[in-house]
Amino acid sequence: MTFRGDISRSGGKARKGGGGRGMAVGGGIGGLVLVGLFLLLGGNPGQVQDMLGQGTDQGQIESGGNYDHCQTGEDANTHDDCRLYYTSFSVNEMWERVLPEQANLQYDEPGLEIFTNTTQSGCGMASASTGPFYCPSDQYAYFDLTFFDQMRQFGGENAPFAQMYIVAHEYGHHVQNLEGTLGLSDYNNPGAESNAVMIELQADCYAGIWASYADKGPDRLLEPITEEELDAALTTAGAVGDDNIQRRSGGEVNPESWTHGSSQQRKDSFLAGYNSGQMSSCDFLDRGVYQDT
Ligand SMILES: [Zn+2]
């Protein structure tokens, strides 16, 4: 999945963070990856902080960020940080149009922070091992660049798509925050039919809606998504499904502890959004408030 080389975007609520010397963490690379995936899948960074012990360095936030090297879609296809940055434009542009039309809500874009090493979020200290997450208290989405390298080792073959998909998924949580439903997710009460799972599957479905808009029309930011790329996308969704993670960490698959749904559920959810472009097809919470367009 690639950006059109000739597009250009700048501005937005993007900043860069990090630059701390890093924090002492235990567990080696495997532990880091697992913790990262825990957070990628919606875990609370505060809990990870408890698991890992207190960090010693505060991240520094570079206000406004420095995205001067992200001039065009070509840059977004080349540099990871530019790809995240441009994906945020693509996702924001979609929701600015779709959220008022389909949910009768105004869309305010979330903040975007791309960081390395450590940073301070409104939800607690985040480190390179934290992985991508959305923080409802400060309404920022946080992405650390090193996490995406670790993802490749975890079965996400299509790294560029994985990055874009994760951005769209985290922004989906922001939309849920605007809808007032994100708080329904209770990670202390997981399980295959839980609200926690439904909220995660809905974020996957919302990512699918983004993909369905991003590659169509004269203002599209993306080159048309190919069958092959879509397959890779779904593989990526599968690779971060809870059942896979449990298998890979050597444990039994235990639906009671699921918070994100099975790989198949995640694929189905993404496709429901991608094939319809309608929020109503992502209404896993049975709210019945969406209008099709
Ligand atoms: Zn999530």
Side-chain angles (χ1 to χ4, degrees):
M1 187 180 292
T2 52
F3 283 99
R4 287 167 57 193
D6 58 340
I7 57 161
S8 185
R9 292 288 189 285
S10 64
K13 286 163 69 177
R15 69 188 184 198
K16 286 211 172 162
R21 288 195 311 279
M23 48 195 282
V25 288
I29 191 70
L32 291 181
V33 169
L34 286 176
V35 167
L37 279 161
F38 166 73
L39 281 141
L40 161 68
L41 300 172
N44 175 351
Q47 288 171 285
V48 169
Q49 197 58 48
D50 293 344
M51 289 156 60
L52 296 177
Q54 295 302 307
T56 51
D57 272 317
Q58 295 279 315
Q60 286 129 32
I61 289 171
E62 197 185 300
S63 256
N66 180 0
Y67 295 95
D68 291 348
H69 60 297
C70 305
Q71 294 288 338
T72 65
E74 205 50 63
D75 298 324
N77 293 330
T78 312
H79 308 290
D80 282 353
D81 56 343
C82 298
R83 184 177 302 110
L84 296 179
Y85 184 53
Y86 269 66
T87 303
S88 76
F89 287 109
S90 177
V91 177
N92 283 331
E93 287 172 18
M94 181 280 285
W95 283 119
E96 267 157 30
R97 181 172 141 200
V98 169
L99 197 62
E101 280 179 359
Q102 298 189 12
N104 203 21
L105 285 173
Q106 183 174 339
Y107 180 72
D108 294 311
E109 66 177 88
L112 166 72
E113 183 174 322
I114 299 173
F115 70 96
T116 48
N117 295 330
T118 60
T119 195
Q120 186 67 45
S121 84
C123 295
M125 193 74 179
S127 78
S129 61
T130 303
F133 66 99
Y134 172 73
C135 173
S137 351
D138 62 10
Q139 302 202 17
Y140 260 77
Y142 291 86
F143 301 93
D144 95 81
L145 289 172
T146 38
F147 179 80
F148 292 111
D149 290 334
Q150 298 174 352
M151 260 207 88
R152 288 190 191 97
Q153 304 165 22
F154 230 91
E157 290 91 11
N158 190 315
F161 175 79
Q163 295 173 352
M164 297 164 84
Y165 164 78
I166 288 165
V167 171
H169 176 99
E170 299 305 335
Y171 275 50
H173 287 318
H174 176 64
V175 167
Q176 293 165 335
N177 199 23
L178 296 174
E179 291 187 272
T181 54
L182 188 60
L184 295 174
S185 189
D186 177 4
Y187 290 99
N188 295 321
N189 252 322
E193 302 298 322
S194 65
N195 278 339
V197 168
M198 293 308 140
I199 287 280
E200 291 304 331
L201 292 177
Q202 187 179 57
D204 287 330
C205 190
Y206 284 177
I209 293 181
W210 159 72
S212 80
Y213 277 81
D215 74 340
K216 293 180 191 73
D219 298 329
R220 67 192 159 81
L221 294 189
L222 295 179
E223 297 291 356
I225 299 169
T226 65
E227 197 71 35
E228 198 181 23
E229 286 171 324
L230 187 60
D231 277 351
L234 298 176
T235 304
T236 303
V240 295
D242 280 2
D243 48 355
N244 263 323
I245 289 158
Q246 293 190 5
R247 283 191 202 107
R248 281 156 203 258
S249 57
E252 296 283 307
V253 173
N254 173 13
E256 289 314 305
S257 68
W258 286 2
T259 56
H260 276 69
S262 69
S263 297
Q264 190 60 46
Q265 280 177 304
R266 299 201 72 180
K267 286 184 184 186
D268 291 347
S269 303
F270 182 90
L271 278 176
Y274 182 73
N275 289 330
S276 71
Q278 303 295 332
M279 294 181 79
S280 60
S281 60
C282 306
D283 191 11
F284 306 143
L285 298 164
D286 289 325
R287 299 179 65 228
V289 298
Y290 304 108
Q291 305 112 42
D292 286 353
T293 52

